[in-house]
Amino acid sequence: MKKKKFFRLLFLSFLVIILAYTGIVSGVYFYKNKQLVQLERNSSSEMLITQAQKTMDQRIQVALSGISQLQTNKNFKNYSSNLDENLENYHIVQLYNELQRMSRSFDQFNFNIGILKIDDNTVITPQNTLRKQAFLKNIGVVEENEEQLQKFIEDNSWSSYFKILQIKSDSEKKRLTIVKKLRVDNGGAVLFFLTFPIDNPFIDLNSSIENAFAITSNEGILLMDSTIKEGNASSVLSSKVLNAIRSNSQTTPTYSVSSVSDYKVHSIGSEIFRDWSYVYVTEADVAGAGNLISNGLAVLILLLALGLLLTLAFANYTYRPVKKVVSALNLAQDMDDKDEFSFIQKVAMDMQKMNKHLQLTIEQNQLPLKVKFLRDLLFGLIPKERIAEKVKQLNLDILTDEFSLVIVSYGKHSDLNEQLSREGLHQLKSKMVTLLENTLKTQTDIEVIELESEKLVIIIKETDTETLKNLIIQFYNHLPENLLGNIVTAIASPSSSFDELENAYKQATNLLEYRIMVDKKGILTMEDIAHLENDTFYYPMDVEKDLIQFIINGNQEKAFLMLNHILKENLYERKLNKQALSQFVFIIAATVSRILQNINKPVQDIFTKNDEMYIELSSIDDKRSLEKRILHVFEEVF
């Protein structure tokens, strides 16, 4: 695929993604904004209707409290119980003055009070005294309510004194009047008219939209202020809707909202009169939807423009790695084809074939699991709790009973390293392994482990030292004479279980160090060095090599496991004299220097000068402190 075609395909692919993403984002933006606006409107409507309820209920509560105060007032009692016509005007004036004083006290609650004796025709208010008909006309009582009022006045039953009559005014007056009847001492009754003007409505209706505020009761709509068309207003607050509103507030004044046609009806019951409800009607459609659409289109256009720029940028950015890969591969192999992707595919297939070949080579030369396990077990790199499971898993029955460990060293301290190449030493090792297996396997069970540094470790199911010597001599008899002087074998003390394999390996390795001290014997046992003082430290070259390799590879767990074994052996288990301990510290310092050289880390990061490492370590007398300091040095190396 050539660049032009690839770039065009990338551009179109990204463009489709951008368009889809832009459409989704714009749709979600419009939908979520519409939800947010609707939520804000509902919250605002709830707050308005709740505030209207509190305001109106408070006015009614204050007005009813005013009536209760009047019942105990002397001027009211004189007026209501007076039967002397000559004193009637006097008592009316006194009550009138009292109402004026009360009106000034409750002026902020915006209600008016009127008092009328049932058998009289004069209504006393804080402003003036009026004839009954003039007063009713003034508060806007319609003919239907006037008949209802007359029946209420004529009702002499006790229950009528516990009722509160609600009188609707005509639509122009916008007032709500409630009437309460009170029985007085002389057997008569007095009517209290509490009129609440709605000239300053609780909810400021917006004339630009259709909305309405109403107070409803069991009798229907008591008061309504609306900008809704007359026909629509009556259909919105139909009897079915009013019944639903009433049922929501029968027990407690609960806020509720419902949808009716194209309107939202918000309602909440009154705390004073359980059959009252305050209702606020708004349009269901979100006002300003045009603004939302225009904003959504603006976002859409902005995202499309940004998307086109991003598409160009992404297409270029996506092709850039292809260009870099082609440039890098072109250095190793000339690109004959102008098609970049064919060239990359061809090189990738060649690399895949090479990787398979390398993987096959690694697999063919990889140590068997059993040999790797035994090598790690020799160096103490396997946790004790996992050894038994691995022995059983790998069928190492030889480690479940008594056995002996033998080390055959054929290159160290000899001229073989100078006489033979590395390949020659490897071939010699292979032939010796074959010879060992052919010689010893016919007589007993053995496991042979090849180690670096020209060593072979033999785990043999034989514990008698003399028998082991005879078996090794049989092996020696098959070797050429010029090779015998370069081979030494160390036989460790018998072991009773696999837990002792590591100690047996240390013991055999230590025996090899005493070769010069025991007349250069070809076979060494513990009896040969029993008379010598244990004044040599344990730190074989292969152990040091493995320790360095673990640290370079970052295998911290195995490195510190091996280091702890080395420190335990030399600081606590061996009784090293001062000279031997100083030599051991010197070798440890040398190991640290080799590690730092391999990882390109200056010695000054740990010690100021190169020789200060040995000087500081050798100056520590306490073995515990020396162990902690050596461990700390290796931690700093990591």
Side-chain angles (χ1 to χ4, degrees):
M1 185 184 294
K2 297 184 179 180
K3 178 180 178 181
K4 185 176 180 181
K5 184 178 179 181
F6 174 70
F7 187 84
R8 184 171 64 251
L9 183 61
L10 273 179
F11 181 80
L12 292 175
S13 300
F14 279 124
L15 188 61
V16 170
I17 295 172
I18 291 294
L19 287 174
Y21 174 78
T22 301
I24 293 171
V25 169
S26 300
V28 170
Y29 172 83
F30 180 79
Y31 176 73
K32 288 297 181 182
N33 272 274
K34 185 176 180 180
Q35 275 190 329
L36 182 62
V37 171
Q38 189 63 56
L39 184 64
E40 289 177 352
R41 282 169 53 85
N42 287 340
S43 178
S44 175
S45 299
E46 179 182 359
M47 182 180 68
L48 289 173
I49 196 68
T50 303
Q51 187 63 37
Q53 176 224 36
K54 290 181 179 179
T55 302
M56 190 62 189
D57 281 355
Q58 185 182 36
R59 291 169 66 183
I60 295 172
Q61 184 67 49
V62 170
L64 293 176
S65 298
I67 293 176
S68 299
Q69 292 179 23
L70 279 175
Q71 291 177 21
T72 60
N73 185 270
K74 179 181 178 182
N75 293 324
F76 173 78
K77 288 182 176 180
N78 292 336
Y79 164 76
S80 59
S81 60
N82 178 52
L83 298 177
D84 188 352
E85 292 183 1
N86 295 326
L87 296 175
E88 185 69 16
N89 290 335
Y90 170 78
H91 291 306
I92 288 176
V93 171
Q94 292 299 315
L95 182 58
Y96 167 76
N97 293 332
E98 186 64 37
L99 289 179
Q100 279 191 325
R101 285 192 295 271
M102 188 180 76
S103 176
R104 285 192 294 271
S105 300
F106 299 119
D107 183 60
Q108 59 179 322
F109 296 101
N110 195 22
F111 71 89
N112 195 19
I113 187 169
I115 300 175
L116 171 67
K117 288 183 181 179
I118 289 181
D119 55 358
D120 196 2
N121 198 32
T122 301
V123 180
I124 307 169
T125 70
Q127 292 79 28
N128 50 27
T129 57
L130 298 171
R131 291 297 179 184
K132 177 181 174 182
Q133 290 300 323
F135 173 76
L136 295 178
K137 183 178 181 182
N138 188 41
I139 62 176
V141 176
V142 295
E143 183 177 350
E144 175 186 351
N145 291 124
E146 192 173 345
E147 295 176 359
Q148 186 180 9
L149 176 61
Q150 190 59 37
K151 290 180 180 179
F152 181 67
I153 293 172
E154 294 172 357
D155 186 0
N156 293 321
S157 64
W158 278 100
S159 61
S160 66
Y161 292 98
F162 298 97
K163 291 181 181 180
I164 293 180
L165 182 65
Q166 302 148 7
I167 300 178
K168 293 187 292 185
S169 64
D170 56 47
S171 57
E172 293 181 359
K173 295 293 183 181
K174 291 183 182 178
R175 295 180 182 180
L176 179 64
T177 302
I178 59 176
V179 184
K180 181 175 177 60
K181 188 192 302 185
L182 176 67
R183 189 175 183 87
V184 293
D185 295 339
N186 61 7
V190 175
L191 295 178
F192 291 92
F193 293 86
L194 297 176
T195 303
F196 301 91
I198 317 295
D199 296 332
N200 298 316
F202 313 110
I203 298 178
D204 189 11
L205 299 181
N206 189 345
S207 59
S208 62
I209 60 173
E210 294 188 349
N211 54 2
F213 172 73
I215 300 176
T216 66
S217 70
N218 292 340
E219 305 298 328
I221 299 173
L222 299 178
L223 177 142
M224 175 181 280
D225 187 14
S226 171
T227 61
I228 302 175
K229 295 177 182 179
E230 189 173 349
N232 289 343
S234 58
S235 62
V236 171
L237 295 179
S238 61
S239 57
K240 182 178 179 181
V241 174
L242 293 177
N243 289 334
I245 292 172
R246 193 181 307 119
S247 63
N248 288 333
S249 301
Q250 278 183 346
T251 54
T252 56
T254 307
Y255 168 80
S256 64
V257 59
S258 60
S259 297
V260 179
S261 186
D262 296 330
Y263 300 92
K264 290 279 188 179
V265 178
H266 309 266
S267 64
I268 187 169
S270 171
E271 295 277 1
I272 307 300
F273 302 133
R274 291 300 184 186
D275 63 329
W276 278 29
S277 292
Y278 303 100
V279 182
Y280 180 48
V281 181
T282 61
E283 289 180 320
D285 291 337
V286 178
N291 291 334
L292 284 176
I293 293 173
S294 61
N295 291 338
L297 287 175
V299 171
L300 178 63
I301 293 170
L302 179 63
L303 289 175
L304 283 174
L306 183 62
L308 289 174
L309 293 175
L310 288 176
T311 300
L312 289 171
F314 285 158
N316 280 310
Y317 184 77
T318 305
Y319 182 74
R320 191 181 304 167
V322 178
K323 185 178 180 181
K324 289 182 178 179
V325 170
V326 171
S327 299
L329 296 177
N330 203 21
L331 295 175
Q333 185 175 345
D334 293 334
M335 186 178 71
D336 299 328
D337 193 355
K338 292 183 178 180
D339 190 342
E340 296 95 333
F341 289 91
S342 297
F343 172 68
I344 294 174
Q345 186 177 10
K346 180 183 176 182
V347 175
M349 291 180 67
D350 293 341
M351 292 173 65
Q352 187 178 14
K353 290 178 182 178
M354 186 182 298
N355 286 337
K356 285 184 178 179
H357 178 71
L358 289 173
Q359 188 175 0
L360 182 61
T361 304
I362 293 170
E363 289 175 355
Q364 289 174 348
N365 292 276
Q366 195 173 16
L367 287 174
L369 290 177
K370 181 166 68 174
V371 176
K372 185 178 183 305
F373 168 72
L374 289 173
R375 288 183 64 171
D376 290 344
L377 191 59
L378 291 176
F379 296 117
L381 301 178
I382 299 178
K384 291 184 178 181
E385 60 271 12
R386 294 179 53 195
I387 297 176
E389 180 186 352
K390 281 287 185 181
V391 167
K392 183 177 180 182
Q393 184 180 351
L394 297 172
N395 296 320
L396 290 170
D397 298 331
I398 192 171
L399 297 178
T400 58
D401 203 352
E402 290 188 346
F403 60 88
S404 295
L405 183 139
V406 178
I407 296 179
V408 178
S409 177
Y410 55 87
K412 192 176 181 184
H413 307 304
S414 71
D415 299 328
L416 284 177
N417 286 322
E418 298 177 0
Q419 297 173 6
L420 298 176
S421 64
R422 180 176 291 274
E423 185 63 29
L425 288 172
H426 180 71
Q427 291 179 4
L428 176 62
K429 182 191 289 186
S430 299
K431 290 180 180 180
M432 290 180 67
V433 170
T434 304
L435 185 58
L436 274 170
E437 290 178 344
N438 292 337
T439 304
L440 302 181
K441 267 193 175 181
T442 56
Q443 302 182 54
T444 184
D445 294 336
I446 66 168
E447 290 289 346
V448 181
I449 308 163
E450 300 179 34
L451 296 181
E452 296 179 8
S453 303
E454 298 77 38
K455 283 184 183 179
L456 294 175
V457 177
I458 306 166
I459 302 173
I460 185 168
K461 201 167 187 179
E462 179 61 59
T463 57
D464 183 66
T465 305
E466 293 302 320
T467 304
L468 285 172
K469 285 183 177 182
N470 291 332
L471 290 173
I472 298 301
I473 291 172
Q474 291 180 30
F475 165 65
Y476 281 1
N477 290 335
H478 291 85
L479 296 176
E481 291 184 6
N482 62 344
L483 190 59
L484 288 175
N486 297 305
I487 294 180
V488 61
T489 300
I491 302 173
S493 299
S495 303
S496 58
S497 70
F498 49 75
D499 291 332
E500 301 176 9
L501 184 62
E502 180 188 353
N503 291 329
Y505 174 71
K506 290 179 182 178
Q507 190 182 85
T509 304
N510 187 42
L511 275 172
L512 292 175
E513 303 295 330
Y514 286 93
R515 181 187 182 192
I516 298 175
M517 301 178 188
V518 289
D519 300 328
K520 296 185 179 181
K521 284 188 175 183
I523 302 175
L524 301 175
T525 65
M526 291 301 296
E527 294 176 357
D528 296 325
I529 64 168
H531 63 286
L532 299 176
E533 182 183 356
N534 193 11
D535 59 355
T536 59
F537 59 86
Y538 167 76
Y539 197 53
M541 287 180 60
D542 50 351
V543 171
E544 181 190 24
K545 185 176 181 180
D546 287 339
L547 178 61
I548 293 173
Q549 198 62 42
F550 286 146
I551 293 175
I552 292 173
N553 294 337
N555 196 334
Q556 189 172 2
E557 182 181 357
K558 286 190 174 182
F560 277 96
L561 191 61
M562 179 175 283
L563 181 61
N564 282 319
H565 282 302
I566 294 169
L567 295 176
K568 180 182 177 183
E569 176 72 22
N570 290 285
L571 297 181
Y572 304 111
E573 295 184 2
R574 291 175 181 256
K575 297 179 181 179
L576 299 180
N577 57 30
K578 189 173 183 180
Q579 183 180 358
L581 183 61
S582 177
Q583 292 173 354
F584 171 69
V585 170
F586 180 81
I587 292 296
I588 287 292
T591 300
V592 174
S593 296
R594 292 190 189 97
I595 293 170
L596 293 174
Q597 289 174 4
N598 277 279
I599 63 177
N600 295 322
K601 189 173 184 180
V603 180
Q604 288 75 12
D605 287 357
I606 304 175
F607 297 92
T608 307
K609 297 179 181 178
N610 292 351
D611 56 352
E612 284 189 3
M613 188 188 313
Y614 170 69
I615 294 172
E616 180 187 333
L617 294 177
S618 60
S619 65
I620 301 174
D621 296 329
D622 181 55
K623 290 185 178 181
R624 293 287 180 189
S625 301
L626 179 59
E627 179 187 13
K628 289 181 180 178
R629 180 56 180 148
I630 292 173
L631 289 172
H632 180 68
V633 169
F634 277 86
E635 287 174 359
E636 289 186 342
V637 170
F638 269 103

